Amino acid sequence: MSTVTEKPTQQLEEATVRFCGDSGDGMQLAGTQFTNTSALAGNDVATFPDFPAEIRAPRGTKAGVSGFQIHFSSHDIYTPGDTVDALVAMNPAALITNLGDLRDGGILICNESAFDKKGLAQAGYATSPLEDGSLEKKFKLHKVDMTKLTRTAVDGLGLSQKEADRCRNFFAMGLVFWLYDRSLDPTMRFIEDKFGKKPEVAEANRRALTAGYNYGETVEAINTQYHVGKAELPPGTYRNIMGNTALAWGLVAAAHLSGRRLFLGAYPITPASDILHELAKHKHFDVLTFQAEDEIAAVTATIGASFAGEMAVTASSGPGIALKGEALGLAVMTELPMIVINVQRGGPSTGLPTKTEQADLFQAMYGRNGECPMPVIAAASPADCFDVAQEAWRIAVEHMLPVFLLTDGYIANGSEPWRLPEVASLKPTKVKYAEPLANGDGSNGETFLPYERNERLSRPWARPGTPTLMHRVGGLEKQDITGNVSYDPANHQHMIETRAKKVELIADNIPPQKVDGPESGDLLVVSWGGPYGACATAVHAAQAAGKAVAHCHLRYLNPFPKNLEQVLRSYKRVLVAELNCGQLRSILRDKFLLDAAGLNKVQGKPFQVGEILERINTELAS
Amino acid sequence: MSVESLPVLKPNDFASDQDVRWCPGCGDYAILAQMKKVLPDLGVPRENIVFISGIGCSSRFPYYMNTYGMHSIHGRAPAVATGLKTVRPDLQVWVITGDGDGLSIGGNHLMHAIRRNMDLNIILFNNRIYGLTKGQYSPTSLLGAKTKSTPMGAIDNPLNPLSIVIGAEGTFVARTIDTNLKHMGAVLKRAAEHSGTSFVEVYQNCNVFNDGAWDYAKDRDTKEDTTLELEHGKPMIFGKNRDKGIRLNGMDPEVVQLGKGITEDDLLFHDERAPEPSLAYLLTRMRHQDGFPEPIGVFRAIESPRYDELINDQIEQAKASKGPGDLEKLFTSGDTWVVE
Ligand code: SF4
């Protein structure tokens, strides 16, 4: 867009901006708006929202700081960025908790009026860092009295002071929009959509946004505008999408293409609730969302919906999945197709509800009583959630079993541009129910055999309402073929082996493992789930520096692709990077008797590219 | 398919090929037999009937019925049934549970299933004991009950199943007794016909671990004095000589002798359709140990919106207002941009 500024515009390849403030300051909104605007401007974007577990921690405290980081670029990017080029701090607590991530020489915009005695004391500052000269030495500091400027901008609209102050985030947005040469139009449209019914609030937000923008344009101290050009993305129509939304849409698409109703059984839990919220909006797709009384009801209702013959899904996070454990055993025993989603968060127990972690892989693999294997797949990025949701359904139906789908808080709340698929290119999963028996109804003649198996060892899906197929399933051990209750020792062993084999056979029905980089070499970096982006970026950097390093990112965690062992053995060393204490590494070692090193982090935060690259270099040097 | 065109089914058509494995003499047999007798009268094809149970002696029930069925996990049958009925409101769904399964480990699901008022028929076999795990006290065991886990007597207050059901906004609340076959048949039939969640408590004898728990209500010589058969619109009269009745004294029920100035008109008249559940609740509080006859029959039967209908109505409304789901439209909703 063109601006009437005479200030010079500097072209940048990429930039990272973080908005941070009190959780009541609307930082998530500011971040989301900046992201959408940048995506619409043609940048590649990656985001990292970071918010406290408390909805409203005491105002101005460190515990209540909420942040949103956006990395936008004119080339492909995979992560929200290690360090920040511009930081907006709405109060002292936000400054003190976020300043460490601002790069030397970076832009620092502080809401001056919040740096009063009380605010400083809450953050633990003895004196104001805005006054002692310390910040100017390292950063381009801009002290902006956003409170006053916003109040002036909305003056005359009849808002209370509290209401006026609520527009401050729009002022901050306006300023940053100017700084990075962004159009105000998308946000103006958003204001109209969101606040149109309250004209004075809409007008106040518009004025605050414009005032922030004009402030950047006119204030002399801010002397440069930056511009990040369009990224060269493959041609197509794009939108920005968050992981949980992409996951929900993937489920909707899978059900729609299968011609099935979609049932979601869920209980509110961070960070999975947005899947429930999103699906609740799509009732016209025959989506039935059931907010259950608890996690156990959510999963058992899902089992009921699957028995009924529809597409059934339950979504939760670690603590909820723990509660579902017994029911998942029933799902395995009854061999019914369904999807079990775990949007992982920091554990154990309640842990860190709003922070990311990948420590539930063992739970997905082993967290049930008895020998109870389940297939496990994981999404790599926000947009990948769309594909993985459909893949989970394909496996569930083609193999007649419950499938675990893992994502994590980082993917779920993060966003990236998504190239819209051609609807015609999406592959429907065909649902084939058992046909009524030609001769007999179970009491005379032919009998329906609910546990008769095909070449994949999967059993027929007999939909209630179908004559002649009346049958009973349950959690007691089944006689193979007939499905009758059986306590026979040899049958029990046979059934345990059959259920395990059934999961193993999925390996014949998934693509072989690919690597990004040379097919053999000094080091293979292995990842799964959210660390995909950071690992890909770090490995690309190492490759650019001439290192013989490749990246192997796993979507299929149980069973593994058939060629995985051969892939792993093609490198001198294997490094498994994951946000836990080495769960995938243990499984790989166990399965392949293979020496693998681990890069592990459990701080509730995603990997930074730098820490992976550093480790790659140490591995190669030793 | 019209009801007329259906083949006429007999009780035996509902028997599965599995041997029934309850202890000889168990009250469960009678309930199974009555169920098989009632179902043919309902005119619902077998393939459209589903029995869901949890864990416990009673929960083996689905295995013995030639319908669709699931023997699920402990306490969760109402939740399994909820998922099933939500996506397939066309099916007739029965939930078979017990006092331990339904009121202890599954208490939460039971409460919520009842308040949602889906069209489910929940039958709770109350034997006041854990049978399958061999004789521990249950949430309906009386204070002082000596069982394997309470050698000195139970010290927690028992729950009254029907009080809970009314507290949870139950729309069909009934009680019957395993040995009173005719009564049970009639109650099961009415439960099936009720639109919404029907809850039936069956006094069931566990002759192995808690034999005789309900003898007072079954014994030929005493049952007319210890039970009160509820009839809609009729005064509450009971007793071998039909000379005793229930009268309201302030907020409390009391047993009165008819005659000596007290006539039928002084008694409580049963109104199962009363919109307020207060009287039905009061009836659930009448316990044998407090000197009351225990009511059997239908306590309450009211019409109320059903979750399974409402959720599917919302789907239809959404389709009517937005048009049927269109993926293309979904993907392009909101802000998009084109890369050439
Ligand atoms: S233990 Fe009691 S309830 Fe269970 S089958 Fe035997 S008699 Fe019946």
Side-chain angles (χ1 to χ4, degrees), chain B residues 228 236 238 244-257 262 266-268 282-283 286 290-293:
Chain B
L228 164 72
M236 294 183 196
F238 68 102
K244 287 182 277 187
I246 302 295
R247 183 173 73 173
L248 204 55
N249 179 3
M251 299 280 278
D252 301 314
E254 63 179 0
V255 174
V256 290
Q257 195 73 40
I262 299 179
D266 296 313
L267 301 182
L268 265 176
L282 195 123
L283 293 174
M286 289 170 29
D290 301 327
F292 283 103

Side-chain angles (χ1 to χ4, degrees), chain A residues 331-533:
Chain A
V332 168
M333 203 71 162
T334 51
E335 304 188 34
L336 286 166
M338 69 197 78
I339 303 175
V340 182
I341 297 166
N342 180 352
V343 184
Q344 300 166 93
R345 65 190 219 185
S349 188
T350 309
L352 302 172
T354 58
K355 309 292 175 191
T356 200
E357 206 160 274
Q358 293 183 280
D360 298 343
L361 178 58
F362 280 171
Q363 184 191 41
M365 291 286 292
Y366 313 120
R368 294 165 293 284
N369 63 304
E371 297 287 354
C372 194
M374 274 176 74
V376 183
I377 65 175
S381 72
D384 189 44
C385 290
F386 178 80
D387 298 333
V388 170
Q390 292 174 84
E391 181 65 349
W393 178 235
R394 182 186 73 86
I395 295 174
V397 170
E398 292 182 357
H399 297 265
M400 277 295 282
L401 33 62
V403 174
F404 245 116
L405 191 171
L406 302 180
T407 76
D408 56 59
Y410 170 72
I411 298 177
N413 289 316
S415 64
E416 66 179 345
W418 175 50
R419 186 157 65 114
L420 308 187
E422 294 285 340
V423 173
S425 73
L426 298 172
K427 283 211 188 79
T429 291
K430 281 209 186 71
V431 171
K432 222 178 128 251
Y433 298 120
E435 299 282 343
L437 302 179
N439 165 27
D441 67 354
S443 42
N444 56 23
E446 230 183 319
T447 318
F448 174 55
L449 298 171
Y451 280 72
E452 197 170 37
R453 299 181 185 281
N454 66 11
E455 70 287 352
R456 285 181 178 140
L457 298 181
S458 90
R459 72 177 195 86
W461 196 5
R463 200 166 177 264
T466 317
T468 74
L469 302 185
M470 287 82 75
H471 69 287
R472 277 67 53 195
V473 295
L476 285 171
E477 184 60 283
K478 301 275 163 284
Q479 179 77 48
D480 203 8
I481 317 293
T482 67
N484 290 332
V485 173
S486 166
Y487 300 101
D488 175 48
N491 176 70
H492 181 51
Q493 176 140 7
H494 167 71
M495 287 301 273
I496 282 179
E497 287 167 1
T498 301
R499 286 185 287 263
K501 182 82 186 157
K502 196 174 158 181
V503 173
E504 281 167 28
L505 285 178
I506 296 169
D508 292 335
N509 195 16
I510 57 174
Q513 182 63 42
K514 287 200 196 119
V515 296
D516 179 0
E519 275 173 22
S520 62
D522 295 331
L523 179 67
L524 181 70
V525 176
V526 177
S527 63
W528 66 279
Y532 163 72

Side-chain angles (χ1 to χ4, degrees), chain B residues 22-23 26 28 57 127 131 204 206-209:
Chain B
W22 288 308
C23 308
C26 174
D28 292 358
C57 291
N127 55 18
Q204 175 247 326
C206 169
N207 57 309
V208 171
F209 293 108

